[in-house]
Amino acid sequence: MPTVKAVCTSKKKGTAKRNVGAAMLIENHGLENDAHAGNWHRQVSLLSWDKIEAFKARGAIVMDGCFGENLIVDEIDFAALPVGTRLNCGEVLLEISQIGKECHDRCQIYHTMGECIMPTQGVFAKVLHGGEIKTGDTMNIVP
């Protein structure tokens, strides 16, 4: 069953996020107190735990939030889902709005590993219905 492995936020753009364990998602905004939240199409970023683990197996030393991701979830291959896919987690409802992103400035991960998985494996979503999300919660793809 797909499970939330980490909930990450940062106070400032351009810095790594850190796992805070739980946060409130605000409708049409994103995670409360996250620097990237706002009324736009990239309110929440998601990354598959399995993709992070595979990257670590190739020698990457990364912590939760290092890619700038808000939510890490296992058993869902986010990059394989089309834009418009809806995900629910308790009362929270998300809609995937973008797959991947261009990396304008090469991050430290890229300089160390020669690549970064967020541009190809990360997805972004809008918050259609808010609520609390925490580590251990189950996330589902809405049929």
Side-chain angles (χ1 to χ4, degrees), residues 29-84:
H29 184 73
L31 271 86
E32 187 173 48
N33 299 319
D34 184 61
H36 292 92
N39 189 12
W40 66 321
H41 71 289
R42 291 183 2 196
Q43 296 169 353
V44 178
S45 56
L46 300 99
L47 195 54
S48 302
W49 181 79
D50 304 339
K51 302 298 182 186
I52 296 171
E53 290 302 302
F55 195 59
K56 285 180 180 179
R58 294 196 313 265
I61 300 170
V62 293
M63 304 295 289
D64 296 342
C66 281
F67 297 100
E69 73 279 14
N70 291 119
L71 303 176
I72 300 172
V73 180
D74 71 352
E75 296 186 35
I76 297 179
D77 183 1
F78 291 113
L81 300 174
V83 168

Side-chain angles (χ1 to χ4, degrees), residues 80-127:
L81 300 174
V83 168
T85 299
R86 291 185 175 192
L87 307 160
N88 80 311
C89 188
E91 60 187 45
V92 171
L93 181 63
L94 304 173
E95 183 177 82
I96 295 178
S97 56
Q98 182 177 324
I99 298 169
K101 73 176 191 104
E102 186 178 346
C103 188
H104 299 289
D105 299 317
R106 300 290 188 208
C107 64
Q108 184 58 45
I109 296 166
Y110 181 90
H111 289 297
T112 302
M113 293 294 296
E115 66 175 316
C116 177
I117 61 173
M118 191 62 179
T120 58
Q121 297 300 317
V123 302
F124 298 89
K126 292 170 64 174
V127 181

Side-chain angles (χ1 to χ4, degrees), residues 3-8 19-21 64-65 70-73 134-136:
T3 306
V4 176
K5 298 290 239 176
V7 178
C8 306
N19 188 355
V20 294
D64 296 342
N70 291 119
L71 303 176
I72 300 172
V73 180
K134 63 186 179 312
T135 302

